[in-house]
Amino acid sequence: MIKLNSLQYKNDGDLEISNDLSLQTLSNNDVFERLEKEFLSKYSFENLSTFSFCKDGFLGLLLQLGKKGKIAISVGETQALFEAGKTYESLGFELIWIELEKNGQVNKEQIKEASADFVFISSYVMDTFVKTNLEEIKALSSAVIISNASADFCQDSDAVYFDSYKLTGFSTSSVLLFNKELFEEKSFGFIDSIAVNTVFKALENQSFENDLQEEFKSKLEEVFSENIYFFVDYKDTLSYTLHFALKDIKAREMIRTLGLDEIHITNGEGCSLGLSKPSRIIQAMGYDELTSRNALSLTFCEKLDSKTIEKIAKTFAKKYRQIKVLNEQ
């Protein structure tokens, strides 16, 4: 099996449940306290909490922050946060949306003009993995930066959260790290200690291959010729990813047929299983829904030699031709 979708669907974690992680009000909880201290020390934060990585969980965070000031959200963030923002607005609260430009970059001018107190923006955009320079964002805005650090941690973030499913394959709680009293203190018994342990171990074991991007791009261009194109410049993306598109077919068709050959790819968050929903991110960049269905994304987390890369590229091309023939009938 060749996993080229692990930033979206890891699905190979081990869920560890130990009585030592059970939180007791009348006990010292030494095991968890050591784990919490190590987690906070690793990323240089003061406080740790957990919350549900879904629309309702993010809505809870927005409602907390909304009492303190103005909130901005980049449309390049995770779908759950995007949905929470829309719900927040439907409740009558004001929210600032930071748009994406045609090249996939976050609109920095909007951030400068927003005068937000808090901004949800990560060091990478979902789906395309286009990098965002958070140091530059700090220079443009005094807003507190809250980031998804599941695929890339940036020390310029003022608070970070980790997507448990993306890291472990299990939908446990998300882990949230922050300083001072940015978020409300959670009752001890409502901290998901299993999630904290599993996410921390997944982050310790997380690794990427940074040297495959250019070779993969070259081989794909070779086998697809004029049938491949790019929504974003690969040099602007995380070095262990590659985002591209294939003309005249839907991404889910490639995802499903390659899955039969044990090659796993994705076309965006929530779409790695070949579901029908197109990439919201590509549409946010200004492309229509039909075009957004062409998008595909690869993640490099294991070493692959040139022979294997060439074989994968040729398999891509073979499946592509088969799909096009079937679609013409």
Side-chain angles (χ1 to χ4, degrees):
M1 180 176 67
I2 297 173
K3 288 183 66 65
L4 298 172
N5 65 341
S6 59
L7 278 184
Q8 301 290 14
Y9 284 83
K10 189 170 180 61
N11 284 323
D12 60 359
D14 294 318
L15 185 62
E16 297 183 19
I17 301 178
S18 168
N19 285 335
D20 291 335
L21 290 171
S22 175
L23 303 181
Q24 306 292 331
T25 55
L26 299 179
S27 300
N28 292 326
N29 301 299
D30 292 336
V31 173
F32 176 76
E33 288 177 2
R34 285 197 299 271
L35 171 64
E36 180 183 38
K37 184 177 180 180
E38 191 174 1
F39 208 144
L40 291 168
S41 175
K42 179 180 176 71
Y43 294 100
S44 300
F45 283 98
E46 300 171 359
N47 300 306
L48 178 152
S49 187
T50 57
F51 71 100
S52 179
F53 197 95
C54 65
K55 178 183 70 175
D56 293 340
F58 278 107
L59 179 59
L61 299 184
L62 295 178
L63 290 171
Q64 289 182 43
L65 295 177
K67 300 175 183 178
K68 303 177 181 180
K70 190 187 301 184
I71 304 171
I73 301 177
S74 164
V75 298
E77 295 301 294
T78 184
Q79 181 67 22
L81 175 55
F82 179 80
E83 292 175 354
K86 291 298 183 181
T87 302
Y88 185 78
E89 286 184 311
S90 73
L91 295 173
F93 298 107
E94 180 185 357
L95 191 65
I96 302 167
W97 291 102
I98 307 300
E99 304 295 335
L100 297 179
E101 298 179 345
K102 192 75 172 181
N103 62 2
Q105 300 281 350
V106 172
N107 189 317
K108 298 182 180 66
E109 192 61 32
Q110 286 185 334
I111 293 175
K112 183 178 180 180
E113 295 175 353
S115 299
D117 299 292
F118 310 98
V119 58
F120 283 82
I121 186 170
S122 305
S123 59
Y124 59 95
V125 174
M126 288 300 304
D127 292 7
T128 62
F129 299 107
V130 169
K131 292 180 289 187
T132 300
N133 187 329
L134 296 186
E135 183 179 7
E136 185 177 345
I137 301 301
K138 273 191 173 296
L140 294 173
S141 171
S142 60
V144 172
I145 295 176
I146 305 163
S147 304
N148 184 340
S150 305
D152 180 66
F153 169 73
C154 178
Q155 62 184 8
D156 291 305
S157 303
D158 297 304
V160 297
Y161 56 89
F162 300 94
D163 183 345
S164 178
Y165 184 66
K166 296 294 190 298
L167 289 165
T168 72
F170 296 98
S171 293
T172 58
S173 299
S174 172
V175 178
L176 175 67
L177 307 181
F178 57 98
N179 292 322
K180 299 180 181 178
E181 298 179 353
L182 181 60
F183 294 101
E184 297 172 3
E185 183 179 2
K186 183 172 286 190
S187 174
F188 199 60
F190 290 98
I191 298 290
D192 188 343
S193 58
I194 294 174
V196 175
N197 183 55
T198 308
V199 168
F200 184 69
K201 291 193 172 184
L203 289 167
E204 283 190 313
N205 295 325
Q206 189 180 57
S207 64
F208 300 110
E209 290 296 324
N210 296 292
D211 302 322
L212 301 180
Q213 185 186 61
E214 191 145 358
E215 185 173 2
F216 250 100
K217 178 178 181 290
S218 177
K219 285 297 179 183
L220 290 174
E221 287 177 320
E222 182 181 314
V223 299
F224 283 109
S225 187
E226 73 280 359
N227 292 310
I228 188 171
Y229 66 101
F230 300 87
F231 291 108
V232 298
D233 187 337
Y234 78 102
K235 293 179 181 178
D236 292 335
T237 67
L238 296 178
S239 59
Y240 37 88
T241 68
L242 182 64
H243 192 274
F244 61 98
L246 298 176
K247 295 179 180 178
D248 303 322
I249 70 166
K250 294 176 181 177
R252 71 172 184 267
E253 296 173 318
M254 282 292 288
I255 293 169
R256 289 170 177 169
T257 190
L258 285 171
L260 297 175
D261 280 18
E262 295 292 299
I263 300 175
H264 300 286
I265 64 175
T266 182
N267 65 321
E269 187 181 22
C271 302
S272 190
L273 300 180
L275 302 178
S276 60
K277 207 169 185 180
S279 171
R280 174 181 60 82
I281 300 300
I282 299 301
Q283 293 178 77
M285 289 163 55
Y287 294 92
D288 59 42
E289 181 179 330
L290 183 61
T291 305
S292 72
R293 293 183 183 276
N294 297 343
L296 291 165
S297 184
L298 309 180
T299 305
F300 311 123
C301 295
E302 57 182 302
K303 291 185 182 298
L304 298 170
D305 57 32
S306 296
K307 185 177 180 180
T308 302
I309 293 173
E310 183 173 8
K311 182 179 179 180
I312 293 171
K314 288 182 176 179
T315 302
F316 277 29
K318 177 183 176 182
K319 298 298 184 181
Y320 175 75
R321 290 192 298 269
Q322 290 174 344
I323 291 168
K324 289 197 71 174
V325 169
L326 289 172
N327 286 346
E328 290 170 359
Q329 292 179 355

